[in-house]
Amino acid sequence: MGLISLIGRRNISSRFSHFLLNSVQLSRTTVSDTRRRSAIMGKKGKDGAVTGAGGEATLRHIKYREKIGGKLPVPGFIQLIAVGNGGGGSPRGLIVNMSHFKYLFNCGEGLQRISSEHKMKLSRIEHIFLTHSSWDNVGGLMGLCLTMESAGVPTVTLHGPPKVETIVSSARTFAQLRSLQLVKRDMDDGEYEDSAMKVEYVPIFPSSDSILTGQPQAKKQRLSGSSLEEDVAVVYVCKPHPRPRAVSLEMLAERDIPAGPHLSLLKDGKEVVLPDGRLVKPDDVLSPVEVADPFLVVECPTEAHLNDLVTNAALMKYEPNTEAVSLSLIVHFTPDSVVKTSAYQEWMKRFNSGTKHLILNEMGSDVASEAIYEIQAKLNLVHPQIFPLLPHQRPSNEVDCALQKDTESLIYGKTNLKYTYRGKEAKEFIWQDCVKLDNGIFIKEVMGSSEFTENLKSVRQNLQDQDTSGAVSEYPEILFLGTGSAIPNKVRNVSAIWINMTNDSSILLDCGEDTYGQLYRNYVTVAPEMLRRLKAVFVSHLHADHHLGIVGLALARYRCCVSAQSAFEPLTVLAPGAICNWYKTLHSHAIPMLDLVRVIPLENLYPSNQNKHESVYCKLLSDLNLKELNPVRVLHRQFPHGLVLVHASGWKLVYSGDTMPSPELIQAGDGCDLLIHEATMEDFLAEDAKDKRHSTTSQAIEVGVKMNAKFILLTHFSQRYAKVPVFNDSFSSQVGTAFDNMRVRLGDLKLLPLFVPSLKSMFADEYLELEEKTEKRRRQKQLDQCQEKQLQSQRE
């Protein structure tokens, strides 16, 4: 039985009808070769206490729990944070932040990148609740788990539909966990409870028809092993425990009650007799009993689920005409097509008028990050065509970009919108930390540096002095969607290079998590058309930071074809053949990859094997106007390949993928017009680069020199070089550095080396820190060498 699958192996339109058309925008997942782990799955009891895995419980909140004997107090602070609002190109997710730990509801692609930018400590997440097993909710889960593991998190409990945990466990061949224990808690185990709250699971099942009976349906059978698990959604009723009553100093003063050990007895609910004979009851000195309103987290993924939602007896008891406590807030992950139905609207109105509704879906603001737009605004000063402003920061567009307007009780969430349930400003939304775009502030910051302004004048003068005779060919246009390695940071996403070959054909080189999000931010309204133009994705190897974005991209591409009523053909994926096992597993769990993509194993494209896919290969060459498309074996892990593209007009482009310096790549790429080569580490980390089978900056440049490449463009930088790499003596007029959202044509390449002085001064603080760290490593290396020589002398 698949994870969730109401759809059989039928024709393409019927198979995707409810799964895809009601989906929200999708984005990304990343991993590093230094973070490969083996997944540990298990079961967990009702109490849900987190203990160390292998003695590695070192985080502060875990130490605190151990120190006080394992039972945490009821939290004095509870706040809900929209970590992703589900707007265009943005993930959707909700963090419940409490005094000592956190919950996460849903985990779309790109969520960990946003969390990092907004400093939401992922290491304190102990429970992840999934409302439905669609890729919108689980696409970022693998990357998140790897990041949490690297932070020292010992255990995470997964709550949600049956078998949803297999999405993670099936990726263990390329996204492995070693020390993090991922545990699934079954819905049949009953409501979950810890020191913060009780969480009740309310399963919502699809109906064969959409007729609303208006009557509560009979209780469903047990989920595990039943046919009803195939497309279940889960509503979570969260019931925080009331805070312990506190001693009121004012009430003590009023009644002239002295301090002493009797106050502890009163806090425990016991009556005491004072030395003067007065009887004191707890109500005489304690604050009022808190009424802890529940809140709901809801997703009704399709109209087929509506009947069970609106007639569900477990939810009806929170309506005003019942004796249950009113709800303070309902968080809706429901797609807009369902929210707008009359049945859903009527269901929302049935709750107390004071209940607030927070909508996290595709109708929210598209802008989820400030850092992406900030660095683009600064780079745009250097060259407005190579670093164009992104659509949402252009003057003609609103910076809000929300598609719906809020009302008093209905709020379309923005990223980093907060709702304080308990604490200061309780039961209020806090908007001040939401993302705001202001190019003026970004530019003012960098233009305040006299060194930068002088360098900028010099760069602009040098650009004017360049020989501009002859028009620059419009194609190929190379758009870098991800230039970082391993995991994303706020300005560099993981690997993805989009190449527009003509005005109606494109190829994508690698596709890390959130590649679709990056593409959307570059094109916005034109993004659907760009997806329809995409002819193929090349996957250099099977480390997850190079291919996990394909799922979201392929889903978005199919939806775009359906929306435009254009013919759909599966996306061609050129990848190591082992990727097929991953796609088969996803397909069996209701993510229909075998219908969305057509895999051509790279091994079948070696010159000796090309006849195995001759017709597909020839069509691909024709679509991309290529004379050759040749994978090349390189030196890394997980079936590594580089790629050589030779265009019908004669230009030649080489992409290294992840690799050490590769003689085979040098030979295959001889005389190329452009080499795009990974430069993961700086030169003083050559031994680390060798151990991890990567290249240093100078090694990458040397490969280009030996290849007789006309230009070398460096990418795939370690996240220690968040904004700029270390520029060393190997850089020349034939070497440039890639940035996310940079667009270059072959005729633009000669301009890139001119930018170096401006880049150094633009990021002066970061660059100075890099240089200091490099010098520190140099001295340490010299010291280590001296000590080694002394030890060698003593042995002799």
Side-chain angles (χ1 to χ4, degrees):
M1 183 75 64
L3 210 177
I4 290 181
S5 179
L6 281 180
I7 318 168
R9 294 287 294 160
R10 287 174 268 167
N11 64 65
I12 190 78
S13 59
S14 64
R15 180 174 181 83
F16 295 152
S17 60
H18 83 268
F19 178 81
L20 296 172
L21 298 181
N22 292 306
S23 277
V24 186
Q25 300 285 357
L26 298 158
S27 305
R28 74 158 205 82
T29 309
T30 70
V31 195
S32 149
D33 57 306
T34 63
R35 298 163 61 207
R36 314 295 159 201
R37 309 284 189 261
S38 58
I40 305 171
M41 307 301 298
K43 293 287 180 183
K44 192 168 189 176
K46 182 172 182 177
D47 108 10
V50 176
T51 56
E56 296 179 6
T58 58
L59 294 170
R60 183 180 301 174
H61 67 285
I62 295 174
K63 287 183 177 180
Y64 175 73
R65 179 186 280 113
E66 293 172 347
K67 182 179 179 180
I68 64 174
K71 184 172 177 58
L72 292 169
V74 174
F77 175 78
I78 300 176
Q79 187 176 69
L80 284 66
I81 307 172
V83 65
N85 70 342
S90 302
R92 57 184 192 180
L94 178 78
I95 282 180
V96 179
N97 186 22
M98 293 171 281
S99 302
H100 301 105
F101 57 91
K102 298 179 180 181
Y103 296 161
L104 173 65
F105 289 85
N106 292 334
C107 185
E109 280 191 66
L111 186 135
Q112 64 164 323
R113 187 181 187 193
I114 294 175
S115 301
S116 174
E117 175 177 347
H118 297 296
K119 297 182 171 35
M120 302 173 188
K121 293 183 179 178
L122 300 176
S123 61
R124 298 181 71 179
I125 293 174
E126 296 187 352
H127 296 270
I128 299 175
F129 298 84
L130 301 173
T131 56
H132 189 240
S133 59
S134 68
W135 189 255
D136 299 281
N137 296 335
V138 304
L141 192 56
M142 284 160 284
L144 177 70
C145 287
L146 289 158
T147 299
M148 293 171 67
E149 179 183 60
S150 66
V153 176
T155 309
V156 175
T157 301
L158 202 60
H159 308 251
K163 301 182 182 179
V164 70
E165 70 277 10
T166 58
I167 296 286
V168 178
S169 64
S170 64
R172 56 168 56 102
T173 56
F174 56 83
Q176 298 176 337
L177 302 169
R178 190 176 303 279
S179 60
L180 175 67
Q181 185 181 18
L182 184 62
V183 176
K184 175 64 180 357
R185 190 173 190 278
D186 287 336
M187 288 193 288
D188 287 335
D189 293 340
E191 69 179 10
Y192 168 76
E193 182 175 5
D194 59 22
S195 62
M197 64 183 75
K198 292 181 180 179
V199 181
E200 179 184 355
Y201 312 136
V202 180
I204 302 296
F205 298 90
S207 174
S208 58
D209 59 68
S210 58
I211 299 174
L212 302 181
T213 65
Q215 299 296 322
Q217 294 192 352
K219 186 177 180 181
K220 306 297 180 185
Q221 58 186 297
R222 286 174 62 83
L223 289 172
S224 298
S226 80
S227 61
L228 293 170
E229 70 181 18
E230 291 184 346
D231 200 19
V232 64
V234 186
V235 175
Y236 295 100
V237 183
C238 302
K239 298 175 269 191
H241 299 309
R243 274 183 296 192
R245 300 174 69 185
V247 173
S248 167
L249 296 179
E250 292 81 1
M251 296 172 78
L252 288 178
E254 275 181 21
R255 291 167 174 76
D256 193 25
I257 299 173
H262 53 276
L263 295 183
S264 296
L265 297 173
L266 290 166
K267 288 179 68 175
D268 291 338
K270 299 175 182 177
E271 298 178 350
V272 299
V273 178
L274 298 179
D276 60 10
R278 285 184 293 162
L279 176 67
V280 181
K281 299 180 179 180
D283 289 344
D284 295 336
V285 297
L286 300 183
S287 59
V289 176
E290 180 187 37
V291 177
D293 303 333
F295 61 89
L296 297 187
V297 179
V298 179
E299 179 179 3
C300 182
T302 71
E303 290 188 47
H305 292 76
L306 264 172
N307 194 34
D308 199 24
L309 176 71
V310 303
T311 62
N312 196 288
L315 301 178
M316 282 183 171
K317 65 185 180 183
Y318 295 102
E319 296 175 13
N321 58 352
T322 67
E323 296 180 1
V325 177
S326 297
L327 298 172
S328 59
L329 175 71
I330 302 178
V331 181
H332 302 261
F333 284 98
T334 301
D336 187 62
S337 60
V338 179
V339 169
K340 286 183 175 177
T341 62
S342 59
Y344 200 89
Q345 290 287 316
E346 288 301 319
W347 178 74
M348 292 170 66
K349 292 176 183 176
R350 278 163 34 186
F351 295 98
N352 191 295
S353 59
T355 300
K356 292 183 170 64
H357 297 269
L358 174 61
I359 311 290
L360 300 178
N361 68 17
E362 70 271 32
M363 301 306 288
S365 170
D366 292 351
V367 179
S369 166
E370 182 178 295
I372 292 171
Y373 297 93
E374 178 181 355
I375 193 170
Q376 197 71 9
K378 293 177 179 179
L379 291 170
N380 179 260
L381 296 170
V382 177
H383 198 288
Q385 284 75 49
I386 293 176
F387 304 108
L389 292 177
L390 301 176
H392 284 320
Q393 61 186 150
R394 295 171 190 165
S396 58
N397 293 337
E398 293 184 18
V399 298
D400 184 357
C401 310
L403 301 179
Q404 291 285 352
K405 297 299 182 184
D406 300 335
T407 64
E408 185 176 348
S409 61
L410 184 64
I411 304 296
Y412 280 83
K414 296 182 179 180
T415 295
N416 219 26
L417 174 63
K418 299 172 181 175
Y419 176 83
T420 303
Y421 177 91
R422 177 179 293 161
K424 293 181 179 179
E425 301 176 309
K427 306 298 170 54
E428 295 292 337
F429 285 103
I430 301 173
W431 298 88
Q432 63 193 39
D433 296 325
C434 293
V435 175
K436 302 178 185 68
L437 299 186
D438 189 332
N439 287 346
I441 292 177
F442 302 151
I443 293 170
K444 183 178 179 181
E445 178 184 333
V446 70
M447 292 301 287
S449 164
S450 58
E451 181 183 3
F452 172 75
T453 54
E454 287 300 316
N455 282 328
L456 185 60
K457 289 179 184 177
S458 177
V459 166
R460 288 175 175 172
Q461 183 60 52
N462 290 336
L463 291 173
Q464 290 178 3
D465 295 341
Q466 285 289 311
D467 179 11
T468 57
S469 60
V472 175
S473 176
E474 186 176 358
Y475 299 105
E477 181 191 46
I478 304 162
L479 169 60
F480 287 86
L481 299 177
T483 57
S485 70
I487 60 174
N489 68 27
K490 61 185 182 180
V491 296
R492 289 191 187 273
N493 200 40
V494 286
S495 296
I497 305 170
W498 184 281
I499 303 179
N500 291 315
M501 305 293 286
T502 66
N503 64 351
D504 63 356
S505 65
S506 305
I507 186 172
L508 180 60
L509 310 183
D510 281 326
C511 186
E513 184 182 343
D514 198 29
T515 292
Y516 174 65
Q518 290 283 82
L519 182 74
Y520 182 87
R521 284 184 278 277
N522 274 272
Y523 290 107
V524 188
T525 57
V526 187
E529 175 60 29
M530 300 308 296
L531 284 175
R532 292 195 293 273
R533 295 179 190 176
L534 181 62
K535 304 302 180 183
V537 179
F538 166 77
V539 178
S540 63
H541 63 296
L542 294 189
H543 281 161
D545 56 321
H546 289 256
H547 73 88
L548 276 183
I550 292 177
V551 180
L553 187 85
L555 288 166
R557 180 175 174 271
Y558 174 78
R559 287 197 307 274
C560 292
C561 290
V562 171
S563 178
Q565 297 183 335
S566 60
F568 172 78
E569 291 185 13
L571 176 63
T572 298
V573 175
L574 312 172
I579 202 171
C580 294
N581 296 328
W582 162 239
Y583 289 163
K584 287 176 183 177
T585 301
L586 289 178
H587 193 89
S588 68
H589 292 90
I591 298 175
M593 289 302 291
L594 299 185
D595 293 327
L596 292 169
V597 302
R598 172 180 52 217
V599 177
I600 300 180
L602 291 176
E603 299 84 352
N604 292 357
L605 294 183
Y606 299 154
S608 59
N609 295 331
Q610 284 180 0
N611 61 331
K612 292 184 178 180
H613 287 276
E614 184 174 2
S615 60
V616 177
Y617 179 70
C618 290
K619 184 178 186 305
L620 187 59
L621 291 180
S622 174
D623 288 344
L624 295 171
N625 201 19
L626 289 172
K627 187 162 57 175
E628 296 180 29
L629 185 156
N630 296 323
V632 182
R633 295 182 184 90
V634 293
L635 305 173
H636 191 58
R637 300 183 177 91
Q638 287 283 352
F639 318 104
H641 291 79
L643 184 67
V644 178
L645 301 177
V646 180
H647 195 259
S649 64
W651 58 259
K652 183 176 182 179
L653 183 150
V654 178
Y655 174 53
S656 71
D658 282 13
T659 183
M660 301 167 61
S662 167
E664 193 168 340
L665 186 70
I666 291 172
Q667 181 179 354
D670 185 52
C672 66
D673 294 273
L674 173 61
L675 166 65
I676 302 174
H677 203 289
E678 71 119 291
T680 308
M681 299 181 187
E682 62 183 293
D683 293 352
F684 281 99
L685 294 174
E687 288 301 315
D688 286 349
K690 182 179 179 180
D691 291 343
K692 296 169 183 175
R693 302 179 75 81
H694 284 296
S695 297
T696 66
T697 304
S698 292
Q699 287 172 347
I701 294 172
E702 185 180 1
V703 166
V705 172
K706 291 180 178 179
M707 192 184 286
N708 299 307
K710 294 176 184 175
F711 200 86
I712 305 159
L713 193 45
L714 304 179
T715 188
H716 196 267
F717 300 106
S718 166
Q719 300 295 8
R720 59 170 59 88
Y721 318 113
K723 294 180 179 176
V724 285
V726 175
F727 297 104
N728 57 40
D729 294 338
S730 298
F731 279 76
S732 68
S733 59
Q734 283 78 46
V735 181
T737 301
F739 289 85
D740 279 23
N741 307 310
M742 180 176 93
R743 300 180 185 220
V744 290
R745 302 163 296 177
L746 295 180
D748 298 324
L749 295 171
K750 62 185 178 181
L751 305 179
L752 300 184
L754 303 177
F755 302 162
V756 172
S758 290
L759 296 175
K760 284 184 177 180
S761 55
M762 179 183 293
F763 307 114
D765 292 342
E766 293 89 345
Y767 196 77
L768 177 61
E769 184 178 352
L770 282 176
E771 289 184 320
E772 290 174 347
K773 287 181 177 179
T774 298
E775 182 58 31
K776 185 177 180 180
R777 292 189 192 101
R778 188 201 308 271
R779 291 196 300 268
Q780 185 62 49
K781 185 176 181 179
Q782 291 174 343
L783 180 61
D784 292 344
Q785 290 172 343
C786 290
Q787 291 175 343
E788 181 62 29
K789 287 180 180 178
Q790 290 175 357
L791 289 172
Q792 186 66 28
S793 298
Q794 292 173 3
R795 294 191 198 102
E796 294 174 353

